[in-house]
Amino acid sequence: MYLKVVNRLFQRYLCDKKQEIASYGFKLELRPVNNLRNSFGSSNGLFEEASRRIIIAANSEPKFYIPVLAHEISHMVQCVTQTPIWQYNEDCLNKCHIFDWVEYKRDHRPKTVFNSIFSTQLMEQEADKLAVKDIKKYNLPLNIEQYIQFSNSYVLFYSLMFKYRLWATAKYASPYYIHKYMPKKFINYKDFNRLAEKYEDILCRYYYA
């Protein structure tokens, strides 16, 4: 009985979100793969504004890929509604694209790089806050504390990327190792750098394994 209720909740969420995605002129692709390959390794989900697609690695139970979908949908909402944080991030990325900098294709003043990374941290965290609201709205049987802990680890990782000028290895796509170490509430933006230093050893073992 419990599994039936759980599946019904996930199906209702998926049905509603497919309609929402289509209403914004985007397409949802749930691919039967374990991860999605890209030039920087692998990920579980992608939001592509240019091709107007949301792509999710969905070769698992819904409880594993639905949180990823919720996050990528939030990026779509940020983009379509042009939230101030999304616009701030776009402005900063136009001055310094993080991946060009990480790949040593371009050099920028440290302050310009910092602004680009900091705005990305804000943008990613805003997306996760929107996702948590949706998870609660649909009463999805997901562990919100764990979701927030992984969100915090990902946000703090960007501070390490600024320090080391290095993107994560492909192994980082599995979120479970780091959950127990991270705060269970969203980190205040003023604490990004301080907490990145506090958890640096843990984050490095996870993202730079």
Side-chain angles (χ1 to χ4, degrees):
M1 182 66 179
Y2 172 75
L3 288 177
K4 288 184 178 179
V5 173
V6 168
N7 288 332
R8 195 178 302 124
L9 289 170
F10 283 137
Q11 288 304 316
R12 179 192 165 210
Y13 174 81
L14 275 173
C15 182
D16 285 358
K17 291 304 164 180
K18 284 178 180 178
Q19 292 180 10
E20 180 182 353
I21 291 167
S23 73
Y24 286 127
F26 285 80
K27 179 183 178 181
L28 173 63
E29 295 182 15
L30 298 176
R31 295 185 180 177
V33 296
N34 294 323
N35 52 61
L36 305 169
R37 300 296 301 175
N38 55 54
S39 59
F40 287 92
S42 64
S43 65
N44 295 322
L46 295 169
F47 166 70
E48 296 185 346
E49 181 182 0
S51 64
R52 303 192 75 78
R53 294 185 300 173
I54 293 175
I55 309 171
I56 305 296
N59 192 31
S60 61
E61 297 177 49
K63 67 179 180 180
F64 295 117
Y65 70 78
I66 290 293
V68 180
L69 175 59
H71 176 84
E72 301 304 335
I73 288 174
S74 294
H75 281 322
M76 178 191 70
V77 172
Q78 289 174 301
C79 173
V80 171
T81 62
Q82 288 291 293
T83 68
I85 287 177
W86 180 270
Q87 293 181 57
Y88 172 48
N89 181 235
E90 290 283 288
D91 290 342
C92 291
L93 290 179
N94 285 335
K95 297 173 184 175
C96 168
H97 197 284
I98 293 174
F99 294 127
D100 285 346
W101 174 77
V102 167
E103 289 189 318
Y104 290 85
K105 292 178 179 178
R106 284 184 144 187
D107 283 317
H108 299 275
R109 292 188 303 110
K111 180 64 175 176
T112 304
V113 177
F114 175 83
N115 287 342
S116 187
I117 289 176
F118 177 64
S119 67
T120 300
Q121 289 173 300
L122 293 177
M123 182 270 294
E124 294 290 352
Q125 188 181 73
E126 181 184 56
D128 282 324
K129 288 179 178 179
L130 292 171
V132 166
K133 286 183 180 180
D134 246 9
I135 291 169
K136 290 179 177 178
K137 174 184 175 181
Y138 283 88
N139 196 28
L140 298 179
L142 299 172
N143 190 321
I144 291 176
E145 283 189 349
Q146 282 191 351
Y147 184 94
I148 293 173
Q149 285 176 302
F150 181 59
S151 170
N152 287 334
S153 77
Y154 188 57
V155 165
L156 294 181
F157 156 69
Y158 275 90
S159 293
L160 295 185
M161 184 173 64
F162 177 66
K163 181 176 182 179
Y164 294 113
R165 197 169 182 174
L166 181 66
W167 184 247
T169 63
K171 295 179 181 179
Y172 88 95
S174 175
Y176 301 104
Y177 168 78
I178 206 165
H179 279 162
K180 60 184 177 181
Y181 298 106
M182 291 291 106
K184 295 179 180 179
K185 294 183 179 180
F186 284 113
I187 296 170
N188 187 289
Y189 71 91
K190 295 178 181 179
D191 294 326
F192 286 168
N193 291 332
R194 179 180 66 82
L195 290 179
E197 290 182 7
K198 177 180 178 180
Y199 295 111
E200 180 170 348
D201 288 345
I202 294 168
L203 292 163
C204 282
R205 287 203 304 270
Y206 181 70
Y207 286 100
Y208 295 133

